[in-house]
Amino acid sequence: MPEYGYFLSCEQYGPAELIEQARMAEQAGFESLWISDHYHPWNDEQGQSPFVWSVIGALSEAVSLPVETAVTCPTVRTHPAVVAQAAATSAVMTEGRFRLGVGTGEALNEHILGDAWPPAHVRLEMLEESIQIMRRLFTGEEVSHHGTHYTVENARLYTVPDQPVPIDISGFGPAATKLAARVGDGFITMMPDASMVEQYRKGGGGGKPVSGGTKVCYDLDRDEAVRTVHRLWANEQLPGELSQVLPSPKHFEQAQTLVTEDMVRDSRVCGDDVDEHVAELKRFADAGFDKVYVNQIGPDLRGFFDFYRTKVLPQLQQGH
């Protein structure tokens, strides 16, 4: 049976709100936390984007749940040697309850320093090299590295956890899934796709954890929930590689005009039907996921956490 966690959205909430949500999640019976790592929100309606490492520091004091970034891009905006230090400190502060989720990122966050945004195959190469660097640094030994994409000279992390930080790799297609199977400590994907889980496990992932996440909008008024999702998260319905290549929230807002409320209604769980919420999370369990994270899009956070504590999580945990 999977472990069920809560997905904290840095794009939609400020630091204090995220910490309060984490407390509510722990009280509601969620077993772990995901937190997004962005420089920008996807659109101005979402309206936030705090620095994730500061928030994780606060989370380490506020709750006792494990925390994972979903996901950090350790390639362009932030050098892997710096991400390694942030991750190692997070692991120390959470007493070993931190995992580093990594992926190839989006231009939205990564091109802000004027760096070229490389094509997908180069981004995967960069990700693999960055993981090699971070793993070496997690040992606490001095590292010098002169690679294709990165140079590190005489770098040593003095604050490291007892065990190296596990690195889970995000993948949405065969190439990234193959990389995750070959070098990851776990696999992250946002679709309950059994074939990708199977590719990961057969490609070398074996019994390592597979994690997935979904967004829902709990609201007593289904139509209001649909309008909320359409206003805040229509970007999730954009096709193909747009999410990886559009450079700013303004461009996402332009693209989102193609997304209708009906498209949202057909693709997101909206409202307060227990069976729909249970079925959405169960899709991940049925596809072979070990951990499933859910994010509440709408404003009724207290209602959402009460609903999951009393109705949704008990059904999932019974395995119905």
Side-chain angles (χ1 to χ4, degrees), residues 188-235:
I188 291 171
T189 189
M190 299 303 281
M191 292 294 293
D193 185 334
S195 64
M196 286 180 71
V197 175
E198 188 178 6
Q199 185 200 336
Y200 171 73
R201 297 221 183 279
K202 285 187 173 170
K208 294 173 184 174
V210 175
S211 305
T214 187
K215 293 181 184 297
V216 301
C217 189
Y218 168 82
D219 196 300
L220 299 177
D221 181 336
R222 181 179 169 83
D223 291 334
E224 180 61 27
V226 170
R227 287 191 290 272
T228 298
V229 177
H230 186 256
R231 179 171 61 84
L232 287 166
W233 287 92
N235 59 284

mmCIF file of all heavy atoms in Angstrom, residues 188-235:
data_model
loop_
_atom_site.group_PDB
_atom_site.id
_atom_site.type_symbol
_atom_site.label_atom_id
_atom_site.label_comp_id
_atom_site.label_asym_id
_atom_site.label_seq_id
_atom_site.Cartn_x
_atom_site.Cartn_y
_atom_site.Cartn_z
ATOM 1 N N ILE A 188 10.416 9.811 -9.920
ATOM 2 C CA ILE A 188 9.270 10.699 -9.740
ATOM 3 C C ILE A 188 8.622 10.921 -11.093
ATOM 4 O O ILE A 188 9.306 11.239 -12.074
ATOM 5 C CB ILE A 188 9.725 12.062 -9.163
ATOM 6 C CG1 ILE A 188 10.213 11.905 -7.721
ATOM 7 C CG2 ILE A 188 8.606 13.094 -9.241
ATOM 8 C CD1 ILE A 188 10.874 13.149 -7.154
ATOM 9 N N THR A 189 7.292 10.764 -11.151
ATOM 10 C CA THR A 189 6.578 11.126 -12.374
ATOM 11 C C THR A 189 5.166 11.539 -11.991
ATOM 12 O O THR A 189 4.655 11.119 -10.950
ATOM 13 C CB THR A 189 6.585 9.986 -13.404
ATOM 14 O OG1 THR A 189 6.059 10.475 -14.643
ATOM 15 C CG2 THR A 189 5.782 8.785 -12.933
ATOM 16 N N MET A 190 4.553 12.385 -12.804
ATOM 17 C CA MET A 190 3.267 12.969 -12.420
ATOM 18 C C MET A 190 2.072 12.276 -13.065
ATOM 19 O O MET A 190 0.941 12.696 -12.880
ATOM 20 C CB MET A 190 3.251 14.464 -12.759
ATOM 21 C CG MET A 190 4.309 15.268 -12.027
ATOM 22 S SD MET A 190 4.204 15.134 -10.220
ATOM 23 C CE MET A 190 2.851 16.265 -9.911
ATOM 24 N N MET A 191 2.307 11.224 -13.840
ATOM 25 C CA MET A 191 1.203 10.487 -14.452
ATOM 26 C C MET A 191 1.139 9.079 -13.862
ATOM 27 O O MET A 191 2.184 8.435 -13.718
ATOM 28 C CB MET A 191 1.409 10.380 -15.972
ATOM 29 C CG MET A 191 1.286 11.698 -16.699
ATOM 30 S SD MET A 191 -0.390 12.367 -16.626
ATOM 31 C CE MET A 191 -1.272 11.157 -17.620
ATOM 32 N N PRO A 192 -0.068 8.595 -13.527
ATOM 33 C CA PRO A 192 -0.177 7.228 -12.993
ATOM 34 C C PRO A 192 -0.061 6.204 -14.113
ATOM 35 O O PRO A 192 -0.999 5.483 -14.437
ATOM 36 C CB PRO A 192 -1.570 7.219 -12.347
ATOM 37 C CG PRO A 192 -2.350 8.238 -13.112
ATOM 38 C CD PRO A 192 -1.374 9.295 -13.553
ATOM 39 N N ASP A 193 1.126 6.155 -14.701
ATOM 40 C CA ASP A 193 1.375 5.367 -15.908
ATOM 41 C C ASP A 193 2.147 4.099 -15.541
ATOM 42 O O ASP A 193 3.353 4.137 -15.263
ATOM 43 C CB ASP A 193 2.173 6.226 -16.897
ATOM 44 C CG ASP A 193 2.392 5.548 -18.244
ATOM 45 O OD1 ASP A 193 2.391 4.309 -18.287
ATOM 46 O OD2 ASP A 193 2.582 6.271 -19.235
ATOM 47 N N ALA A 194 1.455 2.971 -15.546
ATOM 48 C CA ALA A 194 2.078 1.707 -15.137
ATOM 49 C C ALA A 194 3.236 1.323 -16.052
ATOM 50 O O ALA A 194 4.218 0.713 -15.604
ATOM 51 C CB ALA A 194 1.029 0.593 -15.127
ATOM 52 N N SER A 195 3.165 1.704 -17.341
ATOM 53 C CA SER A 195 4.231 1.315 -18.264
ATOM 54 C C SER A 195 5.538 2.041 -17.942
ATOM 55 O O SER A 195 6.625 1.470 -18.077
ATOM 56 C CB SER A 195 3.816 1.591 -19.716
ATOM 57 O OG SER A 195 3.633 2.972 -19.933
ATOM 58 N N MET A 196 5.444 3.310 -17.478
ATOM 59 C CA MET A 196 6.662 4.025 -17.086
ATOM 60 C C MET A 196 7.253 3.444 -15.814
ATOM 61 O O MET A 196 8.470 3.334 -15.677
ATOM 62 C CB MET A 196 6.377 5.519 -16.934
ATOM 63 C CG MET A 196 6.207 6.220 -18.268
ATOM 64 S SD MET A 196 5.871 7.974 -18.092
ATOM 65 C CE MET A 196 7.451 8.568 -17.550
ATOM 66 N N VAL A 197 6.392 3.068 -14.895
ATOM 67 C CA VAL A 197 6.872 2.422 -13.658
ATOM 68 C C VAL A 197 7.583 1.116 -14.006
ATOM 69 O O VAL A 197 8.664 0.813 -13.487
ATOM 70 C CB VAL A 197 5.701 2.164 -12.685
ATOM 71 C CG1 VAL A 197 6.185 1.389 -11.458
ATOM 72 C CG2 VAL A 197 5.058 3.480 -12.260
ATOM 73 N N GLU A 198 6.999 0.374 -14.929
ATOM 74 C CA GLU A 198 7.586 -0.897 -15.355
ATOM 75 C C GLU A 198 8.931 -0.661 -16.051
ATOM 76 O O GLU A 198 9.910 -1.387 -15.798
ATOM 77 C CB GLU A 198 6.621 -1.625 -16.310
ATOM 78 C CG GLU A 198 7.057 -3.029 -16.649
ATOM 79 C CD GLU A 198 6.057 -3.745 -17.564
ATOM 80 O OE1 GLU A 198 5.095 -3.113 -18.029
ATOM 81 O OE2 GLU A 198 6.273 -4.934 -17.817
ATOM 82 N N GLN A 199 8.995 0.363 -16.924
ATOM 83 C CA GLN A 199 10.261 0.685 -17.597
ATOM 84 C C GLN A 199 11.331 1.029 -16.563
ATOM 85 O O GLN A 199 12.479 0.583 -16.661
ATOM 86 C CB GLN A 199 10.089 1.865 -18.557
ATOM 87 C CG GLN A 199 11.367 2.159 -19.365
ATOM 88 C CD GLN A 199 11.427 3.568 -19.959
ATOM 89 O OE1 GLN A 199 10.410 4.210 -20.169
ATOM 90 N NE2 GLN A 199 12.644 4.048 -20.218
ATOM 91 N N TYR A 200 10.946 1.809 -15.560
ATOM 92 C CA TYR A 200 11.894 2.198 -14.512
ATOM 93 C C TYR A 200 12.400 0.958 -13.758
ATOM 94 O O TYR A 200 13.603 0.780 -13.578
ATOM 95 C CB TYR A 200 11.231 3.179 -13.540
ATOM 96 C CG TYR A 200 12.075 3.459 -12.326
ATOM 97 C CD1 TYR A 200 13.216 4.250 -12.417
ATOM 98 C CD2 TYR A 200 11.767 2.894 -11.090
ATOM 99 C CE1 TYR A 200 14.020 4.489 -11.312
ATOM 100 C CE2 TYR A 200 12.556 3.129 -9.976
ATOM 101 C CZ TYR A 200 13.681 3.922 -10.096
ATOM 102 O OH TYR A 200 14.477 4.151 -9.006
ATOM 103 N N ARG A 201 11.473 0.109 -13.349
ATOM 104 C CA ARG A 201 11.868 -1.063 -12.544
ATOM 105 C C ARG A 201 12.722 -2.031 -13.351
ATOM 106 O O ARG A 201 13.742 -2.542 -12.869
ATOM 107 C CB ARG A 201 10.622 -1.766 -12.011
ATOM 108 C CG ARG A 201 9.791 -0.886 -11.068
ATOM 109 C CD ARG A 201 9.277 -1.664 -9.888
ATOM 110 N NE ARG A 201 8.422 -0.859 -8.999
ATOM 111 C CZ ARG A 201 8.864 -0.011 -8.078
ATOM 112 N NH1 ARG A 201 10.159 0.166 -7.907
ATOM 113 N NH2 ARG A 201 8.021 0.660 -7.321
ATOM 114 N N LYS A 202 12.351 -2.286 -14.599
ATOM 115 C CA LYS A 202 13.099 -3.232 -15.437
ATOM 116 C C LYS A 202 14.435 -2.646 -15.890
ATOM 117 O O LYS A 202 15.384 -3.378 -16.156
ATOM 118 C CB LYS A 202 12.265 -3.617 -16.657
ATOM 119 C CG LYS A 202 11.137 -4.582 -16.325
ATOM 120 C CD LYS A 202 10.437 -5.076 -17.568
ATOM 121 C CE LYS A 202 9.424 -6.159 -17.230
ATOM 122 N NZ LYS A 202 8.563 -6.491 -18.379
ATOM 123 N N GLY A 203 14.512 -1.319 -15.987
ATOM 124 C CA GLY A 203 15.727 -0.678 -16.487
ATOM 125 C C GLY A 203 16.821 -0.535 -15.451
ATOM 126 O O GLY A 203 17.889 0.002 -15.742
ATOM 127 N N GLY A 204 16.542 -0.979 -14.218
ATOM 128 C CA GLY A 204 17.553 -0.885 -13.165
ATOM 129 C C GLY A 204 17.028 -0.290 -11.876
ATOM 130 O O GLY A 204 17.722 -0.263 -10.863
ATOM 131 N N GLY A 205 15.788 0.202 -11.896
ATOM 132 C CA GLY A 205 15.208 0.812 -10.693
ATOM 133 C C GLY A 205 14.842 -0.196 -9.622
ATOM 134 O O GLY A 205 14.808 0.134 -8.434
ATOM 135 N N GLY A 206 14.584 -1.449 -10.056
ATOM 136 C CA GLY A 206 14.312 -2.522 -9.097
ATOM 137 C C GLY A 206 13.258 -2.134 -8.074
ATOM 138 O O GLY A 206 12.172 -1.678 -8.410
ATOM 139 N N GLY A 207 13.603 -2.288 -6.797
ATOM 140 C CA GLY A 207 12.657 -2.007 -5.720
ATOM 141 C C GLY A 207 12.758 -0.606 -5.157
ATOM 142 O O GLY A 207 12.216 -0.323 -4.091
ATOM 143 N N LYS A 208 13.449 0.298 -5.860
ATOM 144 C CA LYS A 208 13.583 1.677 -5.356
ATOM 145 C C LYS A 208 12.237 2.397 -5.455
ATOM 146 O O LYS A 208 11.409 2.068 -6.300
ATOM 147 C CB LYS A 208 14.662 2.412 -6.148
ATOM 148 C CG LYS A 208 16.055 1.845 -5.926
ATOM 149 C CD LYS A 208 17.065 2.485 -6.855
ATOM 150 C CE LYS A 208 18.444 1.835 -6.688
ATOM 151 N NZ LYS A 208 19.398 2.349 -7.689
ATOM 152 N N PRO A 209 12.022 3.423 -4.606
ATOM 153 C CA PRO A 209 10.690 4.028 -4.533
ATOM 154 C C PRO A 209 10.294 4.813 -5.784
ATOM 155 O O PRO A 209 11.104 5.531 -6.361
ATOM 156 C CB PRO A 209 10.789 4.954 -3.320
ATOM 157 C CG PRO A 209 12.247 5.210 -3.132
ATOM 158 C CD PRO A 209 12.949 3.982 -3.605
ATOM 159 N N VAL A 210 9.027 4.650 -6.166
ATOM 160 C CA VAL A 210 8.422 5.421 -7.250
ATOM 161 C C VAL A 210 7.368 6.337 -6.638
ATOM 162 O O VAL A 210 6.473 5.867 -5.922
ATOM 163 C CB VAL A 210 7.777 4.491 -8.299
ATOM 164 C CG1 VAL A 210 7.052 5.309 -9.367
ATOM 165 C CG2 VAL A 210 8.829 3.599 -8.939
ATOM 166 N N SER A 211 7.497 7.633 -6.893
ATOM 167 C CA SER A 211 6.590 8.623 -6.305
ATOM 168 C C SER A 211 5.858 9.392 -7.389
ATOM 169 O O SER A 211 6.420 9.685 -8.444
ATOM 170 C CB SER A 211 7.381 9.623 -5.453
ATOM 171 O OG SER A 211 8.156 8.960 -4.478
ATOM 172 N N GLY A 212 4.604 9.736 -7.105
ATOM 173 C CA GLY A 212 3.813 10.519 -8.047
ATOM 174 C C GLY A 212 2.984 11.539 -7.309
ATOM 175 O O GLY A 212 2.776 11.438 -6.097
ATOM 176 N N GLY A 213 2.490 12.520 -8.052
ATOM 177 C CA GLY A 213 1.703 13.559 -7.418
ATOM 178 C C GLY A 213 0.550 14.007 -8.287
ATOM 179 O O GLY A 213 0.586 13.874 -9.511
ATOM 180 N N THR A 214 -0.481 14.549 -7.629
ATOM 181 C CA THR A 214 -1.639 15.060 -8.353
ATOM 182 C C THR A 214 -2.186 16.278 -7.622
ATOM 183 O O THR A 214 -1.900 16.481 -6.437
ATOM 184 C CB THR A 214 -2.718 13.964 -8.482
ATOM 185 O OG1 THR A 214 -3.763 14.429 -9.332
ATOM 186 C CG2 THR A 214 -3.304 13.585 -7.127
ATOM 187 N N LYS A 215 -2.939 17.079 -8.344
ATOM 188 C CA LYS A 215 -3.613 18.237 -7.752
ATOM 189 C C LYS A 215 -5.117 18.014 -7.809
ATOM 190 O O LYS A 215 -5.629 17.482 -8.797
ATOM 191 C CB LYS A 215 -3.254 19.521 -8.502
ATOM 192 C CG LYS A 215 -1.799 19.925 -8.351
ATOM 193 C CD LYS A 215 -1.506 21.211 -9.104
ATOM 194 C CE LYS A 215 -0.029 21.558 -9.023
ATOM 195 N NZ LYS A 215 0.412 21.820 -7.656
ATOM 196 N N VAL A 216 -5.803 18.402 -6.745
ATOM 197 C CA VAL A 216 -7.259 18.339 -6.703
ATOM 198 C C VAL A 216 -7.781 19.686 -6.216
ATOM 199 O O VAL A 216 -7.010 20.515 -5.716
ATOM 200 C CB VAL A 216 -7.757 17.211 -5.762
ATOM 201 C CG1 VAL A 216 -7.226 15.849 -6.210
ATOM 202 C CG2 VAL A 216 -7.352 17.486 -4.307
ATOM 203 N N CYS A 217 -9.087 19.895 -6.364
ATOM 204 C CA CYS A 217 -9.682 21.102 -5.800
ATOM 205 C C CYS A 217 -10.910 20.715 -4.997
ATOM 206 O O CYS A 217 -12.004 20.546 -5.549
ATOM 207 C CB CYS A 217 -10.039 22.105 -6.893
ATOM 208 S SG CYS A 217 -10.526 23.711 -6.216
ATOM 209 N N TYR A 218 -10.720 20.550 -3.696
ATOM 210 C CA TYR A 218 -11.845 20.287 -2.798
ATOM 211 C C TYR A 218 -12.640 21.574 -2.622
ATOM 212 O O TYR A 218 -12.074 22.626 -2.305
ATOM 213 C CB TYR A 218 -11.341 19.798 -1.434
ATOM 214 C CG TYR A 218 -12.432 19.798 -0.388
ATOM 215 C CD1 TYR A 218 -13.327 18.735 -0.304
ATOM 216 C CD2 TYR A 218 -12.579 20.874 0.475
ATOM 217 C CE1 TYR A 218 -14.351 18.751 0.631
ATOM 218 C CE2 TYR A 218 -13.596 20.897 1.416
ATOM 219 C CZ TYR A 218 -14.486 19.841 1.482
ATOM 220 O OH TYR A 218 -15.501 19.862 2.397
ATOM 221 N N ASP A 219 -13.940 21.487 -2.860
ATOM 222 C CA ASP A 219 -14.849 22.618 -2.655
ATOM 223 C C ASP A 219 -16.251 22.043 -2.600
ATOM 224 O O ASP A 219 -16.552 21.079 -3.317
ATOM 225 C CB ASP A 219 -14.728 23.621 -3.815
ATOM 226 C CG ASP A 219 -15.340 24.983 -3.482
ATOM 227 O OD1 ASP A 219 -16.559 25.029 -3.205
ATOM 228 O OD2 ASP A 219 -14.616 25.990 -3.518
ATOM 229 N N LEU A 220 -17.115 22.615 -1.773
ATOM 230 C CA LEU A 220 -18.494 22.129 -1.696
ATOM 231 C C LEU A 220 -19.252 22.409 -2.993
ATOM 232 O O LEU A 220 -20.238 21.744 -3.295
ATOM 233 C CB LEU A 220 -19.219 22.774 -0.509
ATOM 234 C CG LEU A 220 -18.606 22.476 0.871
ATOM 235 C CD1 LEU A 220 -19.353 23.204 1.965
ATOM 236 C CD2 LEU A 220 -18.579 20.969 1.145
ATOM 237 N N ASP A 221 -18.763 23.396 -3.750
ATOM 238 C CA ASP A 221 -19.387 23.778 -5.026
ATOM 239 C C ASP A 221 -18.475 23.332 -6.170
ATOM 240 O O ASP A 221 -17.414 23.919 -6.396
ATOM 241 C CB ASP A 221 -19.593 25.300 -5.046
ATOM 242 C CG ASP A 221 -20.257 25.801 -6.324
ATOM 243 O OD1 ASP A 221 -20.161 25.125 -7.369
ATOM 244 O OD2 ASP A 221 -20.856 26.897 -6.284
ATOM 245 N N ARG A 222 -18.884 22.287 -6.886
ATOM 246 C CA ARG A 222 -18.055 21.721 -7.956
ATOM 247 C C ARG A 222 -17.724 22.751 -9.029
ATOM 248 O O ARG A 222 -16.579 22.837 -9.498
ATOM 249 C CB ARG A 222 -18.762 20.516 -8.572
ATOM 250 C CG ARG A 222 -17.980 19.839 -9.685
ATOM 251 C CD ARG A 222 -18.743 18.633 -10.217
ATOM 252 N NE ARG A 222 -18.153 18.129 -11.450
ATOM 253 C CZ ARG A 222 -17.110 17.308 -11.514
ATOM 254 N NH1 ARG A 222 -16.524 16.907 -10.407
ATOM 255 N NH2 ARG A 222 -16.649 16.884 -12.677
ATOM 256 N N ASP A 223 -18.710 23.544 -9.455
ATOM 257 C CA ASP A 223 -18.480 24.530 -10.518
ATOM 258 C C ASP A 223 -17.483 25.599 -10.076
ATOM 259 O O ASP A 223 -16.641 26.046 -10.857
ATOM 260 C CB ASP A 223 -19.800 25.182 -10.955
ATOM 261 C CG ASP A 223 -20.707 24.196 -11.682
ATOM 262 O OD1 ASP A 223 -20.174 23.231 -12.261
ATOM 263 O OD2 ASP A 223 -21.943 24.381 -11.660
ATOM 264 N N GLU A 224 -17.580 25.987 -8.816
ATOM 265 C CA GLU A 224 -16.627 26.963 -8.275
ATOM 266 C C GLU A 224 -15.217 26.369 -8.260
ATOM 267 O O GLU A 224 -14.228 27.052 -8.564
ATOM 268 C CB GLU A 224 -17.056 27.383 -6.862
ATOM 269 C CG GLU A 224 -16.135 28.399 -6.198
ATOM 270 C CD GLU A 224 -16.029 29.723 -6.958
ATOM 271 O OE1 GLU A 224 -16.980 30.100 -7.680
ATOM 272 O OE2 GLU A 224 -14.965 30.376 -6.820
ATOM 273 N N ALA A 225 -15.128 25.084 -7.931
ATOM 274 C CA ALA A 225 -13.825 24.405 -7.935
ATOM 275 C C ALA A 225 -13.226 24.401 -9.339
ATOM 276 O O ALA A 225 -12.021 24.664 -9.514
ATOM 277 C CB ALA A 225 -13.969 22.979 -7.415
ATOM 278 N N VAL A 226 -14.054 24.126 -10.344
ATOM 279 C CA VAL A 226 -13.567 24.125 -11.730
ATOM 280 C C VAL A 226 -13.051 25.506 -12.107
ATOM 281 O O VAL A 226 -11.980 25.650 -12.714
ATOM 282 C CB VAL A 226 -14.690 23.667 -12.703
ATOM 283 C CG1 VAL A 226 -14.265 23.893 -14.153
ATOM 284 C CG2 VAL A 226 -15.027 22.203 -12.468
ATOM 285 N N ARG A 227 -13.798 26.548 -11.736
ATOM 286 C CA ARG A 227 -13.355 27.925 -12.045
ATOM 287 C C ARG A 227 -12.031 28.250 -11.348
ATOM 288 O O ARG A 227 -11.154 28.895 -11.922
ATOM 289 C CB ARG A 227 -14.434 28.929 -11.628
ATOM 290 C CG ARG A 227 -15.657 28.942 -12.546
ATOM 291 C CD ARG A 227 -16.570 30.127 -12.265
ATOM 292 N NE ARG A 227 -17.242 30.008 -10.994
ATOM 293 C CZ ARG A 227 -18.408 29.382 -10.808
ATOM 294 N NH1 ARG A 227 -19.026 28.797 -11.831
ATOM 295 N NH2 ARG A 227 -18.971 29.341 -9.614
ATOM 296 N N THR A 228 -11.872 27.780 -10.120
ATOM 297 C CA THR A 228 -10.633 28.017 -9.363
ATOM 298 C C THR A 228 -9.433 27.366 -10.048
ATOM 299 O O THR A 228 -8.382 27.986 -10.226
ATOM 300 C CB THR A 228 -10.773 27.472 -7.923
ATOM 301 O OG1 THR A 228 -11.838 28.170 -7.265
ATOM 302 C CG2 THR A 228 -9.487 27.661 -7.131
ATOM 303 N N VAL A 229 -9.609 26.099 -10.452
ATOM 304 C CA VAL A 229 -8.516 25.391 -11.126
ATOM 305 C C VAL A 229 -8.193 26.078 -12.454
ATOM 306 O O VAL A 229 -7.016 26.262 -12.809
ATOM 307 C CB VAL A 229 -8.875 23.907 -11.359
ATOM 308 C CG1 VAL A 229 -7.754 23.204 -12.128
ATOM 309 C CG2 VAL A 229 -9.110 23.197 -10.027
ATOM 310 N N HIS A 230 -9.222 26.476 -13.186
ATOM 311 C CA HIS A 230 -9.015 27.127 -14.483
ATOM 312 C C HIS A 230 -8.248 28.436 -14.310
ATOM 313 O O HIS A 230 -7.356 28.759 -15.099
ATOM 314 C CB HIS A 230 -10.364 27.371 -15.165
ATOM 315 C CG HIS A 230 -10.245 27.907 -16.551
ATOM 316 N ND1 HIS A 230 -10.479 29.232 -16.860
ATOM 317 C CD2 HIS A 230 -9.889 27.307 -17.723
ATOM 318 C CE1 HIS A 230 -10.281 29.414 -18.163
ATOM 319 N NE2 HIS A 230 -9.919 28.273 -18.701
ATOM 320 N N ARG A 231 -8.555 29.164 -13.254
ATOM 321 C CA ARG A 231 -7.896 30.458 -13.010
ATOM 322 C C ARG A 231 -6.442 30.274 -12.577
ATOM 323 O O ARG A 231 -5.559 31.010 -13.011
ATOM 324 C CB ARG A 231 -8.685 31.213 -11.927
ATOM 325 C CG ARG A 231 -8.118 32.568 -11.547
ATOM 326 C CD ARG A 231 -9.075 33.319 -10.634
ATOM 327 N NE ARG A 231 -9.338 32.615 -9.387
ATOM 328 C CZ ARG A 231 -8.552 32.684 -8.302
ATOM 329 N NH1 ARG A 231 -7.440 33.410 -8.322
ATOM 330 N NH2 ARG A 231 -8.855 32.016 -7.206
ATOM 331 N N LEU A 232 -6.191 29.265 -11.733
ATOM 332 C CA LEU A 232 -4.861 29.129 -11.115
ATOM 333 C C LEU A 232 -3.931 28.161 -11.840
ATOM 334 O O LEU A 232 -2.725 28.379 -11.884
ATOM 335 C CB LEU A 232 -5.029 28.668 -9.664
ATOM 336 C CG LEU A 232 -5.567 29.710 -8.678
ATOM 337 C CD1 LEU A 232 -6.009 29.036 -7.396
ATOM 338 C CD2 LEU A 232 -4.518 30.769 -8.389
ATOM 339 N N TRP A 233 -4.467 27.048 -12.352
ATOM 340 C CA TRP A 233 -3.601 25.965 -12.825
ATOM 341 C C TRP A 233 -3.949 25.473 -14.221
ATOM 342 O O TRP A 233 -3.697 24.301 -14.547
ATOM 343 C CB TRP A 233 -3.614 24.790 -11.826
ATOM 344 C CG TRP A 233 -2.850 25.116 -10.581
ATOM 345 C CD1 TRP A 233 -3.342 25.655 -9.431
ATOM 346 C CD2 TRP A 233 -1.432 24.990 -10.378
ATOM 347 N NE1 TRP A 233 -2.326 25.842 -8.525
ATOM 348 C CE2 TRP A 233 -1.151 25.452 -9.080
ATOM 349 C CE3 TRP A 233 -0.387 24.509 -11.173
ATOM 350 C CZ2 TRP A 233 0.140 25.454 -8.549
ATOM 351 C CZ3 TRP A 233 0.895 24.515 -10.651
ATOM 352 C CH2 TRP A 233 1.153 24.986 -9.351
ATOM 353 N N ALA A 234 -4.508 26.342 -15.067
ATOM 354 C CA ALA A 234 -4.791 25.940 -16.448
ATOM 355 C C ALA A 234 -3.514 25.526 -17.172
ATOM 356 O O ALA A 234 -3.547 24.745 -18.131
ATOM 357 C CB ALA A 234 -5.484 27.075 -17.198
ATOM 358 N N ASN A 235 -2.367 26.024 -16.709
ATOM 359 C CA ASN A 235 -1.075 25.679 -17.337
ATOM 360 C C ASN A 235 -0.852 24.168 -17.394
ATOM 361 O O ASN A 235 -0.136 23.671 -18.258
ATOM 362 C CB ASN A 235 0.088 26.340 -16.597
ATOM 363 C CG ASN A 235 0.173 25.947 -15.131
ATOM 364 O OD1 ASN A 235 -0.623 26.436 -14.318
ATOM 365 N ND2 ASN A 235 1.094 25.078 -14.778
#
